[in-house]
mmCIF file of all heavy atoms in Angstrom:
data_model
loop_
_atom_site.group_PDB
_atom_site.id
_atom_site.type_symbol
_atom_site.label_atom_id
_atom_site.label_comp_id
_atom_site.label_asym_id
_atom_site.label_seq_id
_atom_site.Cartn_x
_atom_site.Cartn_y
_atom_site.Cartn_z
ATOM 1 N N MET P 1 -113.802 111.527 33.339
ATOM 2 C CA MET P 1 -114.234 112.457 34.412
ATOM 3 C C MET P 1 -113.161 112.547 35.507
ATOM 4 O O MET P 1 -112.753 111.524 36.054
ATOM 5 C CB MET P 1 -115.529 111.929 35.046
ATOM 6 C CG MET P 1 -116.789 112.400 34.355
ATOM 7 S SD MET P 1 -117.086 114.166 34.625
ATOM 8 C CE MET P 1 -117.674 114.156 36.321
ATOM 9 N N PRO P 2 -112.718 113.747 35.841
ATOM 10 C CA PRO P 2 -111.770 113.860 36.955
ATOM 11 C C PRO P 2 -112.454 113.516 38.282
ATOM 12 O O PRO P 2 -113.671 113.637 38.404
ATOM 13 C CB PRO P 2 -111.377 115.340 36.933
ATOM 14 C CG PRO P 2 -112.490 116.037 36.235
ATOM 15 C CD PRO P 2 -113.088 115.050 35.266
ATOM 16 N N ARG P 3 -111.662 113.095 39.246
ATOM 17 C CA ARG P 3 -112.187 112.836 40.590
ATOM 18 C C ARG P 3 -112.179 114.121 41.383
ATOM 19 O O ARG P 3 -111.142 114.765 41.498
ATOM 20 C CB ARG P 3 -111.290 111.823 41.305
ATOM 21 C CG ARG P 3 -111.347 110.452 40.707
ATOM 22 C CD ARG P 3 -111.195 109.409 41.774
ATOM 23 N NE ARG P 3 -112.287 109.457 42.733
ATOM 24 C CZ ARG P 3 -112.437 108.588 43.724
ATOM 25 N NH1 ARG P 3 -111.559 107.635 43.883
ATOM 26 N NH2 ARG P 3 -113.447 108.678 44.545
ATOM 27 N N HIS P 4 -113.313 114.507 41.913
ATOM 28 C CA HIS P 4 -113.379 115.712 42.746
ATOM 29 C C HIS P 4 -113.522 115.321 44.213
ATOM 30 O O HIS P 4 -113.867 114.185 44.540
ATOM 31 C CB HIS P 4 -114.558 116.589 42.326
ATOM 32 C CG HIS P 4 -114.490 117.049 40.908
ATOM 33 N ND1 HIS P 4 -113.395 117.712 40.404
ATOM 34 C CD2 HIS P 4 -115.369 116.948 39.877
ATOM 35 C CE1 HIS P 4 -113.612 118.005 39.127
ATOM 36 N NE2 HIS P 4 -114.798 117.541 38.780
ATOM 37 N N PHE P 5 -113.279 116.288 45.088
ATOM 38 C CA PHE P 5 -113.400 116.086 46.540
ATOM 39 C C PHE P 5 -114.069 117.350 47.087
ATOM 40 O O PHE P 5 -113.413 118.290 47.495
ATOM 41 C CB PHE P 5 -111.995 115.878 47.130
ATOM 42 C CG PHE P 5 -111.965 115.543 48.602
ATOM 43 C CD1 PHE P 5 -112.330 114.273 49.052
ATOM 44 C CD2 PHE P 5 -111.537 116.477 49.532
ATOM 45 C CE1 PHE P 5 -112.278 113.963 50.409
ATOM 46 C CE2 PHE P 5 -111.481 116.173 50.885
ATOM 47 C CZ PHE P 5 -111.850 114.911 51.321
ATOM 48 N N LEU P 6 -115.407 117.357 47.019
ATOM 49 C CA LEU P 6 -116.154 118.572 47.389
ATOM 50 C C LEU P 6 -116.759 118.454 48.784
ATOM 51 O O LEU P 6 -116.701 119.384 49.578
ATOM 52 C CB LEU P 6 -117.253 118.852 46.357
ATOM 53 C CG LEU P 6 -116.797 118.918 44.882
ATOM 54 C CD1 LEU P 6 -117.927 119.448 44.017
ATOM 55 C CD2 LEU P 6 -115.553 119.750 44.694
ATOM 56 N N THR P 7 -117.354 117.311 49.085
ATOM 57 C CA THR P 7 -117.905 117.082 50.432
ATOM 58 C C THR P 7 -117.157 115.957 51.149
ATOM 59 O O THR P 7 -117.354 115.757 52.339
ATOM 60 C CB THR P 7 -119.384 116.668 50.368
ATOM 61 O OG1 THR P 7 -119.465 115.383 49.724
ATOM 62 C CG2 THR P 7 -120.219 117.683 49.589
ATOM 63 N N GLY P 8 -116.363 115.213 50.429
ATOM 64 C CA GLY P 8 -115.673 114.058 51.000
ATOM 65 C C GLY P 8 -116.440 112.770 50.793
ATOM 66 O O GLY P 8 -115.864 111.678 50.849
ATOM 67 N N THR P 9 -117.750 112.887 50.547
ATOM 68 C CA THR P 9 -118.555 111.674 50.365
ATOM 69 C C THR P 9 -118.351 111.086 48.964
ATOM 70 O O THR P 9 -118.951 110.065 48.645
ATOM 71 C CB THR P 9 -120.048 111.953 50.614
ATOM 72 O OG1 THR P 9 -120.468 112.997 49.728
ATOM 73 C CG2 THR P 9 -120.289 112.396 52.046
ATOM 74 N N GLU P 10 -117.483 111.711 48.176
ATOM 75 C CA GLU P 10 -117.107 111.116 46.884
ATOM 76 C C GLU P 10 -116.259 109.862 47.107
ATOM 77 O O GLU P 10 -116.142 109.025 46.211
ATOM 78 C CB GLU P 10 -116.299 112.116 46.049
ATOM 79 C CG GLU P 10 -117.045 113.384 45.675
ATOM 80 C CD GLU P 10 -116.983 114.463 46.765
ATOM 81 O OE1 GLU P 10 -116.378 114.217 47.827
ATOM 82 O OE2 GLU P 10 -117.579 115.531 46.547
ATOM 83 N N LEU P 11 -115.640 109.740 48.282
ATOM 84 C CA LEU P 11 -114.785 108.575 48.569
ATOM 85 C C LEU P 11 -115.626 107.429 49.125
ATOM 86 O O LEU P 11 -116.516 107.650 49.945
ATOM 87 C CB LEU P 11 -113.713 108.914 49.609
ATOM 88 C CG LEU P 11 -112.745 110.062 49.314
ATOM 89 C CD1 LEU P 11 -111.627 110.058 50.352
ATOM 90 C CD2 LEU P 11 -112.173 109.969 47.924
ATOM 91 N N PHE P 97 -106.827 121.558 41.379
ATOM 92 C CA PHE P 97 -106.847 122.806 42.152
ATOM 93 C C PHE P 97 -107.873 122.735 43.271
ATOM 94 O O PHE P 97 -108.876 122.028 43.179
ATOM 95 C CB PHE P 97 -107.044 124.051 41.278
ATOM 96 C CG PHE P 97 -108.356 124.138 40.539
ATOM 97 C CD1 PHE P 97 -109.442 124.813 41.093
ATOM 98 C CD2 PHE P 97 -108.503 123.581 39.289
ATOM 99 C CE1 PHE P 97 -110.643 124.939 40.407
ATOM 100 C CE2 PHE P 97 -109.704 123.681 38.593
ATOM 101 C CZ PHE P 97 -110.775 124.357 39.152
ATOM 102 N N GLY P 98 -107.543 123.488 44.338
ATOM 103 C CA GLY P 98 -108.430 123.573 45.492
ATOM 104 C C GLY P 98 -108.906 124.990 45.651
ATOM 105 O O GLY P 98 -108.278 125.938 45.170
ATOM 106 N N ILE P 99 -110.035 125.147 46.344
ATOM 107 C CA ILE P 99 -110.551 126.493 46.625
ATOM 108 C C ILE P 99 -111.133 126.550 48.023
ATOM 109 O O ILE P 99 -111.782 125.601 48.478
ATOM 110 C CB ILE P 99 -111.593 126.949 45.570
ATOM 111 C CG1 ILE P 99 -112.103 128.370 45.906
ATOM 112 C CG2 ILE P 99 -112.739 125.952 45.411
ATOM 113 C CD1 ILE P 99 -112.817 129.065 44.773
ATOM 114 N N ARG P 100 -110.865 127.671 48.711
ATOM 115 C CA ARG P 100 -111.522 128.022 49.979
ATOM 116 C C ARG P 100 -112.385 129.239 49.693
ATOM 117 O O ARG P 100 -111.883 130.282 49.277
ATOM 118 C CB ARG P 100 -110.479 128.338 51.050
ATOM 119 C CG ARG P 100 -111.083 129.011 52.271
ATOM 120 C CD ARG P 100 -110.115 129.133 53.422
ATOM 121 N NE ARG P 100 -109.897 127.845 54.052
ATOM 122 C CZ ARG P 100 -109.500 127.678 55.325
ATOM 123 N NH1 ARG P 100 -109.283 128.723 56.096
ATOM 124 N NH2 ARG P 100 -109.322 126.483 55.822
ATOM 125 N N THR P 101 -113.680 129.098 49.924
ATOM 126 C CA THR P 101 -114.589 130.191 49.596
ATOM 127 C C THR P 101 -115.841 130.105 50.457
ATOM 128 O O THR P 101 -115.935 129.236 51.338
ATOM 129 C CB THR P 101 -114.936 130.154 48.082
ATOM 130 O OG1 THR P 101 -115.643 131.355 47.729
ATOM 131 C CG2 THR P 101 -115.780 128.940 47.722
ATOM 132 N N ALA P 103 -119.406 130.131 49.192
ATOM 133 C CA ALA P 103 -120.542 129.369 48.650
ATOM 134 C C ALA P 103 -120.107 128.001 48.114
ATOM 135 O O ALA P 103 -119.226 127.911 47.253
ATOM 136 C CB ALA P 103 -121.204 130.159 47.530
ATOM 137 N N ASP P 104 -120.770 126.959 48.589
ATOM 138 C CA ASP P 104 -120.535 125.618 48.032
ATOM 139 C C ASP P 104 -120.867 125.588 46.542
ATOM 140 O O ASP P 104 -120.242 124.851 45.778
ATOM 141 C CB ASP P 104 -121.364 124.580 48.796
ATOM 142 C CG ASP P 104 -120.777 124.320 50.173
ATOM 143 O OD1 ASP P 104 -120.954 125.182 51.066
ATOM 144 O OD2 ASP P 104 -120.107 123.295 50.337
ATOM 145 N N ALA P 105 -121.831 126.411 46.127
ATOM 146 C CA ALA P 105 -122.253 126.416 44.719
ATOM 147 C C ALA P 105 -121.108 126.830 43.799
ATOM 148 O O ALA P 105 -121.013 126.342 42.660
ATOM 149 C CB ALA P 105 -123.441 127.353 44.540
ATOM 150 N N LEU P 106 -120.230 127.694 44.265
ATOM 151 C CA LEU P 106 -119.090 128.113 43.435
ATOM 152 C C LEU P 106 -118.144 126.934 43.196
ATOM 153 O O LEU P 106 -117.664 126.713 42.078
ATOM 154 C CB LEU P 106 -118.342 129.275 44.111
ATOM 155 C CG LEU P 106 -117.024 129.684 43.459
ATOM 156 C CD1 LEU P 106 -117.228 130.130 42.013
ATOM 157 C CD2 LEU P 106 -116.345 130.801 44.259
ATOM 158 N N VAL P 107 -117.896 126.157 44.238
ATOM 159 C CA VAL P 107 -117.004 124.999 44.102
ATOM 160 C C VAL P 107 -117.638 123.968 43.157
ATOM 161 O O VAL P 107 -116.949 123.372 42.312
ATOM 162 C CB VAL P 107 -116.716 124.375 45.487
ATOM 163 C CG1 VAL P 107 -115.635 123.318 45.375
ATOM 164 C CG2 VAL P 107 -116.295 125.448 46.473
ATOM 165 N N GLU P 108 -118.951 123.793 43.302
ATOM 166 C CA GLU P 108 -119.652 122.839 42.422
ATOM 167 C C GLU P 108 -119.578 123.293 40.963
ATOM 168 O O GLU P 108 -119.386 122.475 40.055
ATOM 169 C CB GLU P 108 -121.114 122.696 42.862
ATOM 170 C CG GLU P 108 -121.261 121.924 44.163
ATOM 171 C CD GLU P 108 -122.582 122.198 44.878
ATOM 172 O OE1 GLU P 108 -123.517 122.706 44.231
ATOM 173 O OE2 GLU P 108 -122.657 121.911 46.086
ATOM 174 N N GLU P 109 -119.707 124.588 40.739
ATOM 175 C CA GLU P 109 -119.653 125.098 39.360
ATOM 176 C C GLU P 109 -118.246 124.955 38.775
ATOM 177 O O GLU P 109 -118.087 124.583 37.602
ATOM 178 C CB GLU P 109 -120.111 126.565 39.339
ATOM 179 C CG GLU P 109 -120.363 127.077 37.931
ATOM 180 C CD GLU P 109 -120.891 128.513 37.908
ATOM 181 O OE1 GLU P 109 -121.294 129.054 38.963
ATOM 182 O OE2 GLU P 109 -120.879 129.092 36.797
ATOM 183 N N LEU P 110 -117.237 125.215 39.585
ATOM 184 C CA LEU P 110 -115.859 125.009 39.114
ATOM 185 C C LEU P 110 -115.644 123.542 38.744
ATOM 186 O O LEU P 110 -115.077 123.224 37.690
ATOM 187 C CB LEU P 110 -114.858 125.425 40.199
ATOM 188 C CG LEU P 110 -114.625 126.927 40.385
ATOM 189 C CD1 LEU P 110 -113.887 127.193 41.688
ATOM 190 C CD2 LEU P 110 -113.854 127.522 39.208
ATOM 191 N N ALA P 111 -116.111 122.653 39.608
ATOM 192 C CA ALA P 111 -115.919 121.216 39.366
ATOM 193 C C ALA P 111 -116.667 120.759 38.112
ATOM 194 O O ALA P 111 -116.177 119.913 37.353
ATOM 195 C CB ALA P 111 -116.389 120.424 40.580
ATOM 196 N N GLU P 112 -117.835 121.332 37.893
ATOM 197 C CA GLU P 112 -118.633 120.959 36.719
ATOM 198 C C GLU P 112 -117.869 121.244 35.416
ATOM 199 O O GLU P 112 -117.975 120.493 34.449
ATOM 200 C CB GLU P 112 -119.940 121.762 36.752
ATOM 201 C CG GLU P 112 -120.900 121.453 35.626
ATOM 202 C CD GLU P 112 -122.078 122.434 35.610
ATOM 203 O OE1 GLU P 112 -122.380 123.057 36.653
ATOM 204 O OE2 GLU P 112 -122.669 122.563 34.539
ATOM 205 N N HIS P 113 -117.077 122.314 35.426
ATOM 206 C CA HIS P 113 -116.410 122.731 34.188
ATOM 207 C C HIS P 113 -114.932 122.370 34.135
ATOM 208 O O HIS P 113 -114.299 122.519 33.084
ATOM 209 C CB HIS P 113 -116.576 124.240 34.010
ATOM 210 C CG HIS P 113 -118.014 124.643 33.835
ATOM 211 N ND1 HIS P 113 -118.748 124.274 32.730
ATOM 212 C CD2 HIS P 113 -118.856 125.336 34.643
ATOM 213 C CE1 HIS P 113 -119.987 124.741 32.852
ATOM 214 N NE2 HIS P 113 -120.085 125.372 34.012
ATOM 215 N N ALA P 114 -114.352 121.910 35.240
ATOM 216 C CA ALA P 114 -112.920 121.593 35.257
ATOM 217 C C ALA P 114 -112.675 120.218 34.647
ATOM 218 O O ALA P 114 -113.492 119.298 34.810
ATOM 219 C CB ALA P 114 -112.397 121.620 36.692
ATOM 220 N N VAL P 116 -109.769 118.778 35.465
ATOM 221 C CA VAL P 116 -108.830 118.238 36.457
ATOM 222 C C VAL P 116 -109.566 118.173 37.799
ATOM 223 O O VAL P 116 -110.593 118.838 37.973
ATOM 224 C CB VAL P 116 -107.565 119.127 36.573
ATOM 225 C CG1 VAL P 116 -106.818 119.189 35.245
ATOM 226 C CG2 VAL P 116 -107.905 120.530 37.071
ATOM 227 N N PRO P 117 -109.033 117.381 38.761
ATOM 228 C CA PRO P 117 -109.705 117.300 40.059
ATOM 229 C C PRO P 117 -109.796 118.655 40.767
ATOM 230 O O PRO P 117 -108.857 119.449 40.732
ATOM 231 C CB PRO P 117 -108.826 116.329 40.857
ATOM 232 C CG PRO P 117 -108.154 115.494 39.815
ATOM 233 C CD PRO P 117 -107.906 116.425 38.663
ATOM 234 N N VAL P 118 -110.933 118.883 41.417
ATOM 235 C CA VAL P 118 -111.161 120.076 42.239
ATOM 236 C C VAL P 118 -111.384 119.611 43.676
ATOM 237 O O VAL P 118 -112.126 118.650 43.900
ATOM 238 C CB VAL P 118 -112.398 120.857 41.749
ATOM 239 C CG1 VAL P 118 -112.691 122.043 42.666
ATOM 240 C CG2 VAL P 118 -112.196 121.324 40.309
ATOM 241 N N PHE P 119 -110.728 120.267 44.628
ATOM 242 C CA PHE P 119 -110.929 119.887 46.035
ATOM 243 C C PHE P 119 -111.324 121.105 46.862
ATOM 244 O O PHE P 119 -110.930 122.236 46.591
ATOM 245 C CB PHE P 119 -109.706 119.164 46.623
ATOM 246 C CG PHE P 119 -108.381 119.823 46.389
ATOM 247 C CD1 PHE P 119 -107.859 120.708 47.317
ATOM 248 C CD2 PHE P 119 -107.648 119.547 45.244
ATOM 249 C CE1 PHE P 119 -106.624 121.312 47.116
ATOM 250 C CE2 PHE P 119 -106.417 120.157 45.028
ATOM 251 C CZ PHE P 119 -105.907 121.032 45.957
ATOM 252 N N ASN P 120 -112.130 120.823 47.886
ATOM 253 C CA ASN P 120 -112.714 121.845 48.755
ATOM 254 C C ASN P 120 -111.779 122.099 49.938
ATOM 255 O O ASN P 120 -111.549 121.208 50.751
ATOM 256 C CB ASN P 120 -114.082 121.336 49.246
ATOM 257 C CG ASN P 120 -114.797 122.325 50.134
ATOM 258 O OD1 ASN P 120 -114.200 123.278 50.641
ATOM 259 N ND2 ASN P 120 -116.085 122.102 50.340
ATOM 260 N N MET P 121 -111.269 123.327 50.040
ATOM 261 C CA MET P 121 -110.381 123.685 51.160
ATOM 262 C C MET P 121 -111.139 124.468 52.237
ATOM 263 O O MET P 121 -110.528 125.121 53.054
ATOM 264 C CB MET P 121 -109.192 124.505 50.654
ATOM 265 C CG MET P 121 -108.342 123.787 49.606
ATOM 266 S SD MET P 121 -106.734 124.550 49.345
ATOM 267 C CE MET P 121 -107.196 126.145 48.670
ATOM 268 N N LEU P 122 -112.439 124.364 52.274
ATOM 269 C CA LEU P 122 -113.388 124.940 53.245
ATOM 270 C C LEU P 122 -114.393 125.819 52.518
ATOM 271 O O LEU P 122 -114.030 126.724 51.766
ATOM 272 C CB LEU P 122 -112.706 125.781 54.347
ATOM 273 C CG LEU P 122 -113.629 126.361 55.447
ATOM 274 C CD1 LEU P 122 -112.924 126.430 56.802
ATOM 275 C CD2 LEU P 122 -114.180 127.732 55.074
ATOM 276 N N THR P 123 -115.644 125.509 52.773
ATOM 277 C CA THR P 123 -116.777 126.331 52.321
ATOM 278 C C THR P 123 -117.680 126.568 53.529
ATOM 279 O O THR P 123 -117.416 126.064 54.622
ATOM 280 C CB THR P 123 -117.586 125.591 51.235
ATOM 281 O OG1 THR P 123 -117.917 124.288 51.731
ATOM 282 C CG2 THR P 123 -116.819 125.476 49.930
ATOM 283 N N ALA P 124 -118.766 127.279 53.299
ATOM 284 C CA ALA P 124 -119.716 127.526 54.391
ATOM 285 C C ALA P 124 -120.243 126.212 54.962
ATOM 286 O O ALA P 124 -120.481 126.109 56.165
ATOM 287 C CB ALA P 124 -120.871 128.385 53.884
ATOM 288 N N GLU P 125 -120.420 125.212 54.120
ATOM 289 C CA GLU P 125 -121.069 123.977 54.555
ATOM 290 C C GLU P 125 -120.124 122.820 54.877
ATOM 291 O O GLU P 125 -120.519 121.880 55.587
ATOM 292 C CB GLU P 125 -122.041 123.480 53.459
ATOM 293 C CG GLU P 125 -123.085 124.502 53.035
ATOM 294 C CD GLU P 125 -124.072 124.822 54.146
ATOM 295 O OE1 GLU P 125 -124.378 123.926 54.943
ATOM 296 O OE2 GLU P 125 -124.513 125.980 54.220
ATOM 297 N N HIS P 126 -118.932 122.824 54.319
ATOM 298 C CA HIS P 126 -118.063 121.637 54.420
ATOM 299 C C HIS P 126 -116.594 122.012 54.663
ATOM 300 O O HIS P 126 -116.127 123.045 54.177
ATOM 301 C CB HIS P 126 -118.133 120.817 53.122
ATOM 302 C CG HIS P 126 -119.497 120.264 52.836
ATOM 303 N ND1 HIS P 126 -119.976 119.111 53.423
ATOM 304 C CD2 HIS P 126 -120.495 120.729 52.042
ATOM 305 C CE1 HIS P 126 -121.208 118.878 52.987
ATOM 306 N NE2 HIS P 126 -121.549 119.842 52.154
ATOM 307 N N HIS P 127 -115.894 121.114 55.363
ATOM 308 C CA HIS P 127 -114.429 121.237 55.511
ATOM 309 C C HIS P 127 -113.840 119.819 55.483
ATOM 310 O O HIS P 127 -113.275 119.348 56.464
ATOM 311 C CB HIS P 127 -114.085 121.975 56.804
ATOM 312 C CG HIS P 127 -112.681 122.497 56.851
ATOM 313 N ND1 HIS P 127 -111.795 122.400 55.794
ATOM 314 C CD2 HIS P 127 -112.000 123.140 57.850
ATOM 315 C CE1 HIS P 127 -110.649 122.955 56.141
ATOM 316 N NE2 HIS P 127 -110.741 123.399 57.372
ATOM 317 N N PRO P 128 -113.953 119.136 54.345
ATOM 318 C CA PRO P 128 -113.584 117.714 54.312
ATOM 319 C C PRO P 128 -112.096 117.445 54.478
ATOM 320 O O PRO P 128 -111.731 116.381 55.005
ATOM 321 C CB PRO P 128 -114.083 117.257 52.932
ATOM 322 C CG PRO P 128 -114.148 118.503 52.104
ATOM 323 C CD PRO P 128 -114.501 119.602 53.059
ATOM 324 N N CYS P 129 -111.227 118.365 54.071
ATOM 325 C CA CYS P 129 -109.784 118.143 54.269
ATOM 326 C C CYS P 129 -109.452 118.099 55.758
ATOM 327 O O CYS P 129 -108.598 117.335 56.195
ATOM 328 C CB CYS P 129 -108.969 119.235 53.579
ATOM 329 S SG CYS P 129 -109.010 119.127 51.781
ATOM 330 N N GLN P 130 -110.160 118.927 56.546
ATOM 331 C CA GLN P 130 -109.970 118.892 57.992
ATOM 332 C C GLN P 130 -110.381 117.528 58.548
ATOM 333 O O GLN P 130 -109.674 116.938 59.372
ATOM 334 C CB GLN P 130 -110.803 120.005 58.642
ATOM 335 C CG GLN P 130 -110.677 120.043 60.145
ATOM 336 C CD GLN P 130 -109.278 120.420 60.596
ATOM 337 O OE1 GLN P 130 -108.747 121.437 60.167
ATOM 338 N NE2 GLN P 130 -108.679 119.630 61.472
ATOM 339 N N ALA P 131 -111.494 117.005 58.080
ATOM 340 C CA ALA P 131 -111.972 115.713 58.601
ATOM 341 C C ALA P 131 -110.973 114.593 58.296
ATOM 342 O O ALA P 131 -110.820 113.664 59.100
ATOM 343 C CB ALA P 131 -113.345 115.389 58.016
ATOM 344 N N LEU P 132 -110.276 114.675 57.158
ATOM 345 C CA LEU P 132 -109.272 113.639 56.858
ATOM 346 C C LEU P 132 -108.166 113.645 57.921
ATOM 347 O O LEU P 132 -107.758 112.582 58.416
ATOM 348 C CB LEU P 132 -108.643 113.881 55.478
ATOM 349 C CG LEU P 132 -109.563 113.783 54.268
ATOM 350 C CD1 LEU P 132 -108.771 114.059 52.985
ATOM 351 C CD2 LEU P 132 -110.259 112.426 54.194
ATOM 352 N N ASN P 158 -119.625 123.849 59.397
ATOM 353 C CA ASN P 158 -118.942 123.107 58.336
ATOM 354 C C ASN P 158 -118.058 121.977 58.890
ATOM 355 O O ASN P 158 -118.044 120.866 58.348
ATOM 356 C CB ASN P 158 -118.128 124.062 57.452
ATOM 357 C CG ASN P 158 -117.296 125.088 58.223
ATOM 358 O OD1 ASN P 158 -117.231 125.066 59.456
ATOM 359 N ND2 ASN P 158 -116.671 126.004 57.493
ATOM 360 N N ARG P 161 -120.227 119.176 60.271
ATOM 361 C CA ARG P 161 -120.880 118.418 59.184
ATOM 362 C C ARG P 161 -119.896 117.455 58.516
ATOM 363 O O ARG P 161 -120.218 116.286 58.269
ATOM 364 C CB ARG P 161 -121.464 119.389 58.161
ATOM 365 C CG ARG P 161 -122.250 118.721 57.047
ATOM 366 C CD ARG P 161 -122.946 119.734 56.150
ATOM 367 N NE ARG P 161 -123.996 120.442 56.872
ATOM 368 C CZ ARG P 161 -123.885 121.684 57.367
ATOM 369 N NH1 ARG P 161 -122.776 122.385 57.177
ATOM 370 N NH2 ARG P 161 -124.877 122.219 58.035
ATOM 371 N N SER P 162 -118.684 117.927 58.235
ATOM 372 C CA SER P 162 -117.705 117.049 57.579
ATOM 373 C C SER P 162 -117.285 115.905 58.493
ATOM 374 O O SER P 162 -117.108 114.768 58.037
ATOM 375 C CB SER P 162 -116.477 117.861 57.125
ATOM 376 O OG SER P 162 -116.845 118.701 56.042
ATOM 377 N N LEU P 165 -120.198 113.400 58.377
ATOM 378 C CA LEU P 165 -120.287 112.655 57.110
ATOM 379 C C LEU P 165 -119.137 111.656 56.963
ATOM 380 O O LEU P 165 -119.350 110.491 56.604
ATOM 381 C CB LEU P 165 -120.280 113.631 55.926
ATOM 382 C CG LEU P 165 -121.529 114.509 55.784
ATOM 383 C CD1 LEU P 165 -121.298 115.603 54.735
ATOM 384 C CD2 LEU P 165 -122.745 113.657 55.399
ATOM 385 N N LEU P 166 -117.911 112.115 57.227
ATOM 386 C CA LEU P 166 -116.757 111.240 56.993
ATOM 387 C C LEU P 166 -116.492 110.323 58.182
ATOM 388 O O LEU P 166 -116.063 109.186 58.004
ATOM 389 C CB LEU P 166 -115.518 112.070 56.658
ATOM 390 C CG LEU P 166 -115.619 112.893 55.376
ATOM 391 C CD1 LEU P 166 -114.262 113.397 54.929
ATOM 392 C CD2 LEU P 166 -116.251 112.119 54.241
ATOM 393 N N LEU P 284 -104.489 112.526 49.957
ATOM 394 C CA LEU P 284 -105.637 112.887 49.103
ATOM 395 C C LEU P 284 -105.168 113.232 47.691
ATOM 396 O O LEU P 284 -105.761 112.770 46.702
ATOM 397 C CB LEU P 284 -106.381 114.082 49.715
ATOM 398 C CG LEU P 284 -107.491 114.664 48.835
ATOM 399 C CD1 LEU P 284 -108.650 113.676 48.706
ATOM 400 C CD2 LEU P 284 -107.983 116.007 49.392
ATOM 401 N N LEU P 288 -106.397 111.536 44.232
ATOM 402 C CA LEU P 288 -107.119 112.270 43.181
ATOM 403 C C LEU P 288 -106.384 112.229 41.849
ATOM 404 O O LEU P 288 -107.002 112.294 40.792
ATOM 405 C CB LEU P 288 -107.330 113.737 43.603
ATOM 406 C CG LEU P 288 -108.258 113.988 44.782
ATOM 407 C CD1 LEU P 288 -108.341 115.477 45.087
ATOM 408 C CD2 LEU P 288 -109.654 113.417 44.546
#
Side-chain angles (χ1 to χ4, degrees):
M1 272 290 285
R3 292 214 63 176
H4 300 306
F5 185 75
L6 307 190
T7 66
T9 57
E10 298 85 359
L11 302 190
F97 64 93
I99 180 164
R100 167 171 287 205
T101 190
D104 286 76
L106 172 60
V107 189
E108 288 159 18
E109 192 177 347
L110 283 166
E112 182 188 338
H113 296 294
V116 299
V118 176
F119 49 92
N120 181 344
M121 301 195 295
L122 183 147
T123 52
E125 305 293 327
H126 297 278
H127 197 4
C129 290
Q130 180 66 53
L132 296 180
N158 46 5
R161 184 173 293 102
S162 290
L165 291 170
L166 297 194
L284 173 68
L288 293 179

